[in-house]
């Protein structure tokens, strides 16, 4: 099981556009251009998390939860989880 955080970063004064940054605690990181056709929200953050999973060749299921208006946490699971 792996946890992925995503955060929205707005445009910069130097001209860099809005983006979603996805990262984990092992230092793996990816930045994707903010999908302008989507409203700010879970789907845009899912795209960032998917990009990190693709980069790392992780296969499985993502489960998401918001911890603020511009930050999400994803839990990536490649198998069955624990029962609660």
């Amino acid at each position: 099981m792996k946890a992925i955080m995503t955060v929205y970063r707005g445009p910069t004064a130097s001209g860099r556009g809005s983006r979603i940054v996805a990262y984990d605690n092992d230092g793996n990181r990816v930045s994707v251009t903010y999908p302008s056709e989507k409203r700010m929200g879970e789907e845009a953050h899912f795209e960032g998390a998917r990009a990190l999973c693709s980069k790392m060749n992780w296969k499985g299921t993502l489960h998401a939860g918001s911890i603020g208006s511009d930050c999400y946490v994803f839990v990536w699971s490649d198998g069955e989880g624990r029962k609660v």
Side-chain angles (χ1 to χ4, degrees):
M1 189 175 298
K2 180 64 111 171
I4 299 168
M5 299 267 302
T6 62
V7 65
Y8 169 79
R9 298 286 186 222
T12 64
S14 64
R16 187 166 187 187
S18 298
R19 61 206 180 281
I20 299 289
V21 178
Y23 58 94
D24 67 10
N25 282 341
D26 293 327
N28 301 307
R29 183 177 193 267
V30 69
S31 178
V32 296
T33 301
Y34 185 80
S36 58
E37 69 279 358
K38 298 189 187 320
R39 290 183 32 226
M40 181 63 185
E42 192 172 296
E43 188 56 35
H45 287 265
F46 255 115
E47 287 192 23
R50 279 190 214 97
L52 181 59
C53 288
S54 178
K55 175 183 176 182
M56 302 307 299
N57 199 30
W58 295 333
K59 307 266 189 260
T61 304
L62 285 174
H63 305 276
S66 172
I67 58 172
S69 63
D70 61 353
C71 187
Y72 281 75
V73 175
F74 294 83
V75 177
W76 170 79
S77 173
D78 62 352
E80 292 193 29
R82 295 182 187 176
K83 301 246 184 223
V84 275

